Amino acid sequence: MPSLGRLHLITDTRPGRDPLTVVRAALTAARTDLVVQVRVEDSATDREAYDLARRVLALCDPYGATCLVNDRLHVALAVGAAGGHVGADDLPVAAARRVLGPAGVLGATARAPGAATEAVAAGASYLGVGPCHTTSTKSGLPDPIGPTGVRAVVDAVDVPVIAIGGVTAERVPALRAAGAYGVAVVGALSAAADPARATAQLIEALTC
Ligand SMILES: Cc1ncc(COP(=O)(O)OP(=O)(O)O)c(N)n1
Ligand SMILES: Cc1nc(C(=O)O)sc1CCOP(=O)(O)O
Ligand SMILES: [Mg+2]
């Protein structure tokens, strides 16, 4: 399995957003350190997800960046993405592992140590852990777990932990100190005036 990038950019496909422009900018700054997770609205069709994933993968390939697909593993397989990410409403981790095969990158959402160890035992190759901070990007989330909650998961597993939820470059040092391997962001890049510069700042915080 290739080593995992530390900065995960999750596509923002809400109305008025321009995910491909953000992906292009982020790639110029993060290159192989970038993982792009293609995430579409629940209301999007599989065809829309497939078309976006195909375009994102074509952008990632020349940079050696990794493309993953959120939720829809058949789309990941169809486009030849490196893998996918699942959470509580998606395929169970063991089933997702069977779909992707042994070599696929499989992320799983885990908010506490017990769920984290179960996900790793079932085949997760990394964990998305959060929400670390409040976020307006996704509704219905539990209360933020903060760096302390991240540390609890890090101490329970031996796979990379990717901190998610309200992550900004300023918040990265505390998350890294808690043992996070990397971070996943939507708004920090999607809403940035200069996404390439914002990417560089996140990479600097993740690698210094
Ligand atoms: C890196 C990362 N961590 C967590 C999530 C959330 O996944 P999930 O709980 O399945 O929620 P949706 O993103 O599907 O709404 C993620 N996508 N990526
Ligand atoms: C899609 C998603 N999942 C989360 C979780 O905690 O499971 S937080 C989140 C949204 C992250 O967006 P932003 O970087 O703008 O806060
Ligand atoms: Mg999901």
Side-chain angles (χ1 to χ4, degrees), residues 179-193:
Y181 172 84
V183 298
V185 300
V186 180
L189 294 182
S190 170

Side-chain angles (χ1 to χ4, degrees), residues 70-71 85-90 109 138:
N70 186 50
D71 296 348
H85 186 100
V86 294
D89 293 336
D90 310 313
T109 304
K138 179 173 172 170

Side-chain angles (χ1 to χ4, degrees), residues 59-147:
L59 292 174
C60 286
D61 273 349
Y63 290 93
T66 300
C67 176
L68 304 178
V69 177
N70 186 50
D71 296 348
R72 307 188 196 204
L73 302 185
H74 55 303
V75 173
L77 292 177
V79 301
H85 186 100
V86 294
D89 293 336
D90 310 313
L91 281 180
V93 177
R97 173 53 71 199
R98 286 196 291 278
V99 170
L100 292 179
V105 178
L106 176 56
T109 304
R111 309 195 188 284
T117 53
E118 282 176 21
V120 174
S125 40
Y126 76 88
L127 298 177
V129 175
C132 297
H133 300 280
T134 51
T135 176
S136 57
T137 302
K138 179 173 172 170
S139 57
L141 287 167
D143 288 343
I145 62 173

Side-chain angles (χ1 to χ4, degrees), residues 9-10 12 14 17-18 22 136-137 185-195 198:
L9 163 58
I10 301 180
D12 191 346
R14 291 173 293 179
R17 309 297 167 129
D18 185 358
V22 176
S136 57
T137 302
V185 300
V186 180
L189 294 182
S190 170
D194 182 345

Side-chain angles (χ1 to χ4, degrees), residues 44-51 72 74-75:
T45 64
D46 276 351
R47 181 66 67 90
E48 288 166 336
Y50 173 81
D51 286 342
R72 307 188 196 204
H74 55 303
V75 173

